[in-house]
């Protein structure tokens, strides 16, 4: 059965859109349009210390100036705390999540003692200290268990429409990951999975820097009995220093005086042809070009296997 396409762009309001984030916005919009689907915008404002006041409205204005207008009113993750709590309660009740009392230095000490102190993207693979209880410590974060019911590793094989077949041993490479942080904030992993399911998202199109998060999200979807959307991770835009463009390394906000120029630059990053036309016609031409590029992609969701 084919499911009606629903896609989304999910910016974190940590600053205005820049050339890198517009690539993900444009690609997700093009993919939705090419499939005759619905395109949504979700403001991911759960990491409140990193959010910049007013950045959400600015992002929506920038998208509108580019002709990228969501088909339904945007939603804000900060309003979905009850849904995240419900999902967390479900996971705890089924033994798939547990409170953890470890500080970062507790984790570092336990890892050093077992000779496994190598961090991964600056994150430590949690050694599982609190899996069997808090050992008298007060609860801090809540973690997701990455062990199969028989005690084996969780292996996630999944398919990316651009990158092809992917695989991650979640237990060894990531470990029990945080769902609610010690400061009480919801993790990106939990919020994104709850919202993608609540909004009926069938297709996720986002930057390649997020590809590594996908196995955690698929694991949560499976635990919660929710469908896995199809995934396409777009190429990253590198700055002059060869690093990924991000607000953190000072990427320039898009210049709204010439949205078409910004769009054409983004289309170049997506290997779409350079077409000269007014914005509306240009967008229509890009939908056709995207459809050609994606070839035989059907509207059916490619379920991860
Ligand atoms: N909010 C995330 C970001 O801006 C994107 C989340 C997603 O598309 O899954 O990096």
């Amino acid at each position: 059965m084919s499911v009606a396409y629903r896609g989304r762009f999910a910016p974190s309001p940590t600053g205005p859109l820049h050339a890198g984030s517009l690539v993900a916005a444009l690609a997700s919009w093009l993919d939705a349009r090419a499939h005759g689907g619905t395109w949504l915008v979700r403001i991911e404002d759960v990491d409140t210390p990193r959010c910049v006041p007013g950045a959400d409205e600015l992002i929506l204005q920038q998208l509108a100036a580019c002709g990228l207008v969501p088909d339904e009113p945007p939603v804000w993750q900060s309003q979905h705390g009850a849904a995240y709590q419900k999902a967390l309660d479900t996971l705890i009740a089924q033994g798939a999540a547990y409170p953890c009392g470890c500080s970062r230095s507790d984790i570092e000490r336990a890892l050093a003692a077992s000779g496994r102190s190598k961090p991964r993207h600056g994150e430590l693979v949690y050694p599982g200290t609190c899996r069997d209880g808090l050992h008298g410590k007060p609860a801090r974060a809540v973690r997701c268990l990455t062990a199969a019911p028989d005690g084996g590793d969780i292996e996630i094989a999944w398919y990316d429409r651009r990158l092809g077949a992917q695989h991650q041993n979640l237990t060894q490479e990531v470990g029990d990951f945080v769902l609610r942080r010690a400061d009480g904030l919801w993790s990106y992993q939990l919020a994104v999975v709850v919202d993608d399911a609540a909004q009926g998202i069938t297709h996720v199109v986002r930057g390649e820097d997020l590809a590594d998060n996908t196995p955690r999200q698929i694991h949560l979807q499976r635990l919660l009995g929710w469908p896995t959307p199809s995934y396409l991770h777009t190429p990253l835009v590198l700055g002059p220093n060869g690093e990924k463009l991000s607000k953190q390394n000072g990427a320039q906000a898009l210049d709204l005086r010439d949205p078409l120029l910004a769009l054409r630059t983004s289309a170049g990053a997506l290997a779409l042809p350079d077409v000269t036309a007014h914005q509306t016609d240009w967008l229509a031409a890009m939908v056709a070009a995207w459809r050609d590029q994606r070839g035989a992609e059907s509207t059916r969701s490619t379920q991860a296997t």
Side-chain angles (χ1 to χ4, degrees), residues 259-289:
L260 187 53
L261 179 64
L263 283 167
R264 284 172 65 178
T265 307
S266 298
L270 293 166
L272 293 168
D274 192 22
V275 170
T276 313
H278 289 299
Q279 190 162 302
T280 311
D281 294 342
W282 184 88
L283 285 168
M286 286 306 113
V287 173

PDB file of all heavy atoms in Angstrom, residues 259-289:
ATOM      1  N   PRO A 259      17.385  36.035  -2.784  1.00  0.00           N
ATOM      2  CA  PRO A 259      17.133  34.635  -2.422  1.00  0.00           C
ATOM      3  C   PRO A 259      17.438  33.665  -3.565  1.00  0.00           C
ATOM      4  O   PRO A 259      17.911  32.548  -3.331  1.00  0.00           O
ATOM      5  CB  PRO A 259      15.644  34.583  -2.061  1.00  0.00           C
ATOM      6  CG  PRO A 259      15.099  35.955  -2.235  1.00  0.00           C
ATOM      7  CD  PRO A 259      16.191  36.880  -2.623  1.00  0.00           C
ATOM      8  N   LEU A 260      17.200  34.100  -4.800  1.00  0.00           N
ATOM      9  CA  LEU A 260      17.419  33.187  -5.930  1.00  0.00           C
ATOM     10  C   LEU A 260      18.893  32.786  -6.044  1.00  0.00           C
ATOM     11  O   LEU A 260      19.203  31.639  -6.344  1.00  0.00           O
ATOM     12  CB  LEU A 260      16.907  33.820  -7.229  1.00  0.00           C
ATOM     13  CG  LEU A 260      16.923  32.917  -8.461  1.00  0.00           C
ATOM     14  CD1 LEU A 260      16.200  31.599  -8.204  1.00  0.00           C
ATOM     15  CD2 LEU A 260      16.287  33.636  -9.649  1.00  0.00           C
ATOM     16  N   LEU A 261      19.767  33.753  -5.752  1.00  0.00           N
ATOM     17  CA  LEU A 261      21.205  33.435  -5.816  1.00  0.00           C
ATOM     18  C   LEU A 261      21.540  32.359  -4.775  1.00  0.00           C
ATOM     19  O   LEU A 261      22.254  31.393  -5.053  1.00  0.00           O
ATOM     20  CB  LEU A 261      22.036  34.696  -5.580  1.00  0.00           C
ATOM     21  CG  LEU A 261      23.551  34.488  -5.609  1.00  0.00           C
ATOM     22  CD1 LEU A 261      24.016  34.031  -6.985  1.00  0.00           C
ATOM     23  CD2 LEU A 261      24.281  35.771  -5.196  1.00  0.00           C
ATOM     24  N   ALA A 262      20.972  32.531  -3.561  1.00  0.00           N
ATOM     25  CA  ALA A 262      21.210  31.539  -2.501  1.00  0.00           C
ATOM     26  C   ALA A 262      20.643  30.182  -2.911  1.00  0.00           C
ATOM     27  O   ALA A 262      21.280  29.134  -2.697  1.00  0.00           O
ATOM     28  CB  ALA A 262      20.559  32.018  -1.200  1.00  0.00           C
ATOM     29  N   LEU A 263      19.453  30.194  -3.523  1.00  0.00           N
ATOM     30  CA  LEU A 263      18.851  28.935  -3.969  1.00  0.00           C
ATOM     31  C   LEU A 263      19.710  28.263  -5.035  1.00  0.00           C
ATOM     32  O   LEU A 263      19.915  27.047  -5.013  1.00  0.00           O
ATOM     33  CB  LEU A 263      17.449  29.200  -4.542  1.00  0.00           C
ATOM     34  CG  LEU A 263      16.343  29.436  -3.512  1.00  0.00           C
ATOM     35  CD1 LEU A 263      15.090  30.004  -4.198  1.00  0.00           C
ATOM     36  CD2 LEU A 263      15.991  28.148  -2.770  1.00  0.00           C
ATOM     37  N   ARG A 264      20.236  29.077  -5.969  1.00  0.00           N
ATOM     38  CA  ARG A 264      21.041  28.489  -7.051  1.00  0.00           C
ATOM     39  C   ARG A 264      22.325  27.878  -6.501  1.00  0.00           C
ATOM     40  O   ARG A 264      22.782  26.840  -6.978  1.00  0.00           O
ATOM     41  CB  ARG A 264      21.341  29.550  -8.114  1.00  0.00           C
ATOM     42  CG  ARG A 264      20.111  29.822  -8.978  1.00  0.00           C
ATOM     43  CD  ARG A 264      20.309  30.994  -9.895  1.00  0.00           C
ATOM     44  NE  ARG A 264      21.346  30.747 -10.895  1.00  0.00           N
ATOM     45  CZ  ARG A 264      21.666  31.638 -11.842  1.00  0.00           C
ATOM     46  NH1 ARG A 264      21.039  32.793 -11.908  1.00  0.00           N
ATOM     47  NH2 ARG A 264      22.608  31.353 -12.727  1.00  0.00           N
ATOM     48  N   THR A 265      22.899  28.527  -5.482  1.00  0.00           N
ATOM     49  CA  THR A 265      24.099  27.966  -4.848  1.00  0.00           C
ATOM     50  C   THR A 265      23.759  26.617  -4.198  1.00  0.00           C
ATOM     51  O   THR A 265      24.510  25.637  -4.311  1.00  0.00           O
ATOM     52  CB  THR A 265      24.647  28.949  -3.798  1.00  0.00           C
ATOM     53  OG1 THR A 265      24.804  30.214  -4.435  1.00  0.00           O
ATOM     54  CG2 THR A 265      25.959  28.493  -3.210  1.00  0.00           C
ATOM     55  N   SER A 266      22.596  26.575  -3.527  1.00  0.00           N
ATOM     56  CA  SER A 266      22.175  25.311  -2.884  1.00  0.00           C
ATOM     57  C   SER A 266      21.936  24.234  -3.923  1.00  0.00           C
ATOM     58  O   SER A 266      22.288  23.063  -3.715  1.00  0.00           O
ATOM     59  CB  SER A 266      20.884  25.516  -2.092  1.00  0.00           C
ATOM     60  OG  SER A 266      21.102  26.443  -1.076  1.00  0.00           O
ATOM     61  N   ALA A 267      21.317  24.599  -5.041  1.00  0.00           N
ATOM     62  CA  ALA A 267      21.047  23.622  -6.103  1.00  0.00           C
ATOM     63  C   ALA A 267      22.374  23.062  -6.622  1.00  0.00           C
ATOM     64  O   ALA A 267      22.478  21.864  -6.920  1.00  0.00           O
ATOM     65  CB  ALA A 267      20.249  24.264  -7.229  1.00  0.00           C
ATOM     66  N   GLY A 268      23.396  23.917  -6.697  1.00  0.00           N
ATOM     67  CA  GLY A 268      24.717  23.454  -7.138  1.00  0.00           C
ATOM     68  C   GLY A 268      25.258  22.394  -6.198  1.00  0.00           C
ATOM     69  O   GLY A 268      25.803  21.375  -6.634  1.00  0.00           O
ATOM     70  N   ALA A 269      25.074  22.610  -4.888  1.00  0.00           N
ATOM     71  CA  ALA A 269      25.549  21.629  -3.907  1.00  0.00           C
ATOM     72  C   ALA A 269      24.815  20.300  -4.068  1.00  0.00           C
ATOM     73  O   ALA A 269      25.336  19.244  -3.695  1.00  0.00           O
ATOM     74  CB  ALA A 269      25.358  22.171  -2.494  1.00  0.00           C
ATOM     75  N   LEU A 270      23.603  20.360  -4.613  1.00  0.00           N
ATOM     76  CA  LEU A 270      22.820  19.129  -4.820  1.00  0.00           C
ATOM     77  C   LEU A 270      23.048  18.563  -6.226  1.00  0.00           C
ATOM     78  O   LEU A 270      22.326  17.649  -6.644  1.00  0.00           O
ATOM     79  CB  LEU A 270      21.329  19.428  -4.610  1.00  0.00           C
ATOM     80  CG  LEU A 270      20.935  19.786  -3.174  1.00  0.00           C
ATOM     81  CD1 LEU A 270      19.532  20.384  -3.120  1.00  0.00           C
ATOM     82  CD2 LEU A 270      21.030  18.558  -2.271  1.00  0.00           C
ATOM     83  N   ALA A 271      24.018  19.126  -6.944  1.00  0.00           N
ATOM     84  CA  ALA A 271      24.350  18.675  -8.312  1.00  0.00           C
ATOM     85  C   ALA A 271      23.168  18.821  -9.261  1.00  0.00           C
ATOM     86  O   ALA A 271      23.005  18.030 -10.197  1.00  0.00           O
ATOM     87  CB  ALA A 271      24.891  17.245  -8.300  1.00  0.00           C
ATOM     88  N   LEU A 272      22.348  19.847  -9.029  1.00  0.00           N
ATOM     89  CA  LEU A 272      21.240  20.130  -9.947  1.00  0.00           C
ATOM     90  C   LEU A 272      21.727  21.150 -10.976  1.00  0.00           C
ATOM     91  O   LEU A 272      22.643  21.925 -10.693  1.00  0.00           O
ATOM     92  CB  LEU A 272      20.038  20.683  -9.161  1.00  0.00           C
ATOM     93  CG  LEU A 272      19.387  19.662  -8.219  1.00  0.00           C
ATOM     94  CD1 LEU A 272      18.417  20.353  -7.263  1.00  0.00           C
ATOM     95  CD2 LEU A 272      18.679  18.561  -9.015  1.00  0.00           C
ATOM     96  N   PRO A 273      21.131  21.172 -12.160  1.00  0.00           N
ATOM     97  CA  PRO A 273      21.630  22.067 -13.213  1.00  0.00           C
ATOM     98  C   PRO A 273      21.417  23.537 -12.869  1.00  0.00           C
ATOM     99  O   PRO A 273      20.505  23.877 -12.102  1.00  0.00           O
ATOM    100  CB  PRO A 273      20.795  21.675 -14.435  1.00  0.00           C
ATOM    101  CG  PRO A 273      19.602  20.974 -13.898  1.00  0.00           C
ATOM    102  CD  PRO A 273      19.992  20.346 -12.601  1.00  0.00           C
ATOM    103  N   ASP A 274      22.256  24.384 -13.426  1.00  0.00           N
ATOM    104  CA  ASP A 274      22.111  25.828 -13.201  1.00  0.00           C
ATOM    105  C   ASP A 274      21.152  26.383 -14.254  1.00  0.00           C
ATOM    106  O   ASP A 274      21.469  26.399 -15.435  1.00  0.00           O
ATOM    107  CB  ASP A 274      23.490  26.495 -13.295  1.00  0.00           C
ATOM    108  CG  ASP A 274      23.429  27.923 -12.786  1.00  0.00           C
ATOM    109  OD1 ASP A 274      22.487  28.238 -12.008  1.00  0.00           O
ATOM    110  OD2 ASP A 274      24.304  28.727 -13.158  1.00  0.00           O
ATOM    111  N   VAL A 275      19.987  26.775 -13.808  1.00  0.00           N
ATOM    112  CA  VAL A 275      18.939  27.253 -14.719  1.00  0.00           C
ATOM    113  C   VAL A 275      18.715  28.730 -14.435  1.00  0.00           C
ATOM    114  O   VAL A 275      18.715  29.146 -13.279  1.00  0.00           O
ATOM    115  CB  VAL A 275      17.626  26.457 -14.472  1.00  0.00           C
ATOM    116  CG1 VAL A 275      16.453  27.069 -15.215  1.00  0.00           C
ATOM    117  CG2 VAL A 275      17.819  24.997 -14.838  1.00  0.00           C
ATOM    118  N   THR A 276      18.559  29.520 -15.480  1.00  0.00           N
ATOM    119  CA  THR A 276      18.259  30.943 -15.284  1.00  0.00           C
ATOM    120  C   THR A 276      16.765  31.148 -15.520  1.00  0.00           C
ATOM    121  O   THR A 276      16.267  30.850 -16.608  1.00  0.00           O
ATOM    122  CB  THR A 276      19.059  31.799 -16.277  1.00  0.00           C
ATOM    123  OG1 THR A 276      20.409  31.342 -16.253  1.00  0.00           O
ATOM    124  CG2 THR A 276      19.019  33.268 -15.891  1.00  0.00           C
ATOM    125  N   ALA A 277      16.061  31.594 -14.498  1.00  0.00           N
ATOM    126  CA  ALA A 277      14.613  31.847 -14.614  1.00  0.00           C
ATOM    127  C   ALA A 277      14.185  32.637 -13.396  1.00  0.00           C
ATOM    128  O   ALA A 277      14.927  32.718 -12.414  1.00  0.00           O
ATOM    129  CB  ALA A 277      13.850  30.520 -14.663  1.00  0.00           C
ATOM    130  N   HIS A 278      12.981  33.199 -13.446  1.00  0.00           N
ATOM    131  CA  HIS A 278      12.444  33.859 -12.261  1.00  0.00           C
ATOM    132  C   HIS A 278      12.169  32.791 -11.191  1.00  0.00           C
ATOM    133  O   HIS A 278      11.999  31.618 -11.517  1.00  0.00           O
ATOM    134  CB  HIS A 278      11.176  34.630 -12.608  1.00  0.00           C
ATOM    135  CG  HIS A 278      11.471  35.845 -13.446  1.00  0.00           C
ATOM    136  ND1 HIS A 278      12.277  36.871 -12.997  1.00  0.00           N
ATOM    137  CD2 HIS A 278      11.113  36.154 -14.715  1.00  0.00           C
ATOM    138  CE1 HIS A 278      12.393  37.775 -13.948  1.00  0.00           C
ATOM    139  NE2 HIS A 278      11.699  37.372 -15.009  1.00  0.00           N
ATOM    140  N   GLN A 279      12.085  33.241  -9.945  1.00  0.00           N
ATOM    141  CA  GLN A 279      12.091  32.279  -8.839  1.00  0.00           C
ATOM    142  C   GLN A 279      11.039  31.172  -8.967  1.00  0.00           C
ATOM    143  O   GLN A 279      11.354  29.993  -8.770  1.00  0.00           O
ATOM    144  CB  GLN A 279      11.927  33.033  -7.505  1.00  0.00           C
ATOM    145  CG  GLN A 279      12.165  32.136  -6.294  1.00  0.00           C
ATOM    146  CD  GLN A 279      12.426  32.949  -5.046  1.00  0.00           C
ATOM    147  OE1 GLN A 279      13.351  33.748  -4.993  1.00  0.00           O
ATOM    148  NE2 GLN A 279      11.601  32.762  -4.044  1.00  0.00           N
ATOM    149  N   THR A 280       9.796  31.521  -9.288  1.00  0.00           N
ATOM    150  CA  THR A 280       8.732  30.502  -9.357  1.00  0.00           C
ATOM    151  C   THR A 280       9.046  29.477 -10.449  1.00  0.00           C
ATOM    152  O   THR A 280       8.932  28.262 -10.229  1.00  0.00           O
ATOM    153  CB  THR A 280       7.368  31.179  -9.642  1.00  0.00           C
ATOM    154  OG1 THR A 280       7.233  32.270  -8.728  1.00  0.00           O
ATOM    155  CG2 THR A 280       6.218  30.227  -9.457  1.00  0.00           C
ATOM    156  N   ASP A 281       9.460  29.983 -11.608  1.00  0.00           N
ATOM    157  CA  ASP A 281       9.783  29.070 -12.716  1.00  0.00           C
ATOM    158  C   ASP A 281      11.032  28.261 -12.379  1.00  0.00           C
ATOM    159  O   ASP A 281      11.143  27.084 -12.728  1.00  0.00           O
ATOM    160  CB  ASP A 281      10.036  29.859 -14.014  1.00  0.00           C
ATOM    161  CG  ASP A 281       8.761  30.539 -14.495  1.00  0.00           C
ATOM    162  OD1 ASP A 281       7.673  30.118 -14.041  1.00  0.00           O
ATOM    163  OD2 ASP A 281       8.863  31.497 -15.281  1.00  0.00           O
ATOM    164  N   TRP A 282      11.981  28.927 -11.718  1.00  0.00           N
ATOM    165  CA  TRP A 282      13.216  28.234 -11.329  1.00  0.00           C
ATOM    166  C   TRP A 282      12.879  27.056 -10.404  1.00  0.00           C
ATOM    167  O   TRP A 282      13.384  25.945 -10.586  1.00  0.00           O
ATOM    168  CB  TRP A 282      14.166  29.217 -10.643  1.00  0.00           C
ATOM    169  CG  TRP A 282      15.492  28.606 -10.300  1.00  0.00           C
ATOM    170  CD1 TRP A 282      16.597  28.539 -11.099  1.00  0.00           C
ATOM    171  CD2 TRP A 282      15.836  27.929  -9.072  1.00  0.00           C
ATOM    172  NE1 TRP A 282      17.610  27.866 -10.449  1.00  0.00           N
ATOM    173  CE2 TRP A 282      17.169  27.483  -9.210  1.00  0.00           C
ATOM    174  CE3 TRP A 282      15.145  27.661  -7.896  1.00  0.00           C
ATOM    175  CZ2 TRP A 282      17.834  26.790  -8.189  1.00  0.00           C
ATOM    176  CZ3 TRP A 282      15.807  26.963  -6.883  1.00  0.00           C
ATOM    177  CH2 TRP A 282      17.129  26.539  -7.034  1.00  0.00           C
ATOM    178  N   LEU A 283      12.015  27.310  -9.402  1.00  0.00           N
ATOM    179  CA  LEU A 283      11.647  26.238  -8.466  1.00  0.00           C
ATOM    180  C   LEU A 283      10.979  25.081  -9.211  1.00  0.00           C
ATOM    181  O   LEU A 283      11.287  23.907  -8.962  1.00  0.00           O
ATOM    182  CB  LEU A 283      10.729  26.785  -7.359  1.00  0.00           C
ATOM    183  CG  LEU A 283      11.435  27.636  -6.283  1.00  0.00           C
ATOM    184  CD1 LEU A 283      10.415  28.361  -5.414  1.00  0.00           C
ATOM    185  CD2 LEU A 283      12.352  26.768  -5.398  1.00  0.00           C
ATOM    186  N   ALA A 284      10.097  25.425 -10.157  1.00  0.00           N
ATOM    187  CA  ALA A 284       9.415  24.368 -10.929  1.00  0.00           C
ATOM    188  C   ALA A 284      10.438  23.578 -11.745  1.00  0.00           C
ATOM    189  O   ALA A 284      10.368  22.334 -11.821  1.00  0.00           O
ATOM    190  CB  ALA A 284       8.351  24.988 -11.832  1.00  0.00           C
ATOM    191  N   ALA A 285      11.414  24.285 -12.328  1.00  0.00           N
ATOM    192  CA  ALA A 285      12.442  23.595 -13.124  1.00  0.00           C
ATOM    193  C   ALA A 285      13.270  22.661 -12.239  1.00  0.00           C
ATOM    194  O   ALA A 285      13.661  21.563 -12.646  1.00  0.00           O
ATOM    195  CB  ALA A 285      13.353  24.623 -13.808  1.00  0.00           C
ATOM    196  N   MET A 286      13.517  23.112 -10.997  1.00  0.00           N
ATOM    197  CA  MET A 286      14.315  22.275 -10.085  1.00  0.00           C
ATOM    198  C   MET A 286      13.546  21.031  -9.638  1.00  0.00           C
ATOM    199  O   MET A 286      14.127  19.968  -9.418  1.00  0.00           O
ATOM    200  CB  MET A 286      14.752  23.084  -8.852  1.00  0.00           C
ATOM    201  CG  MET A 286      15.848  24.082  -9.115  1.00  0.00           C
ATOM    202  SD  MET A 286      17.337  23.371  -9.897  1.00  0.00           S
ATOM    203  CE  MET A 286      17.256  24.170 -11.471  1.00  0.00           C
ATOM    204  N   VAL A 287      12.223  21.166  -9.491  1.00  0.00           N
ATOM    205  CA  VAL A 287      11.418  19.980  -9.136  1.00  0.00           C
ATOM    206  C   VAL A 287      11.579  18.930 -10.237  1.00  0.00           C
ATOM    207  O   VAL A 287      11.804  17.740  -9.958  1.00  0.00           O
ATOM    208  CB  VAL A 287       9.923  20.344  -8.935  1.00  0.00           C
ATOM    209  CG1 VAL A 287       9.075  19.081  -8.750  1.00  0.00           C
ATOM    210  CG2 VAL A 287       9.753  21.273  -7.734  1.00  0.00           C
ATOM    211  N   ALA A 288      11.512  19.389 -11.494  1.00  0.00           N
ATOM    212  CA  ALA A 288      11.665  18.455 -12.624  1.00  0.00           C
ATOM    213  C   ALA A 288      13.074  17.858 -12.629  1.00  0.00           C
ATOM    214  O   ALA A 288      13.260  16.647 -12.833  1.00  0.00           O
ATOM    215  CB  ALA A 288      11.372  19.182 -13.930  1.00  0.00           C
ATOM    216  N   ALA A 289      14.073  18.711 -12.364  1.00  0.00           N
ATOM    217  CA  ALA A 289      15.465  18.232 -12.376  1.00  0.00           C
ATOM    218  C   ALA A 289      15.701  17.236 -11.241  1.00  0.00           C
ATOM    219  O   ALA A 289      16.402  16.236 -11.407  1.00  0.00           O
ATOM    220  CB  ALA A 289      16.421  19.424 -12.256  1.00  0.00           C
TER     221      ALA A 289
END
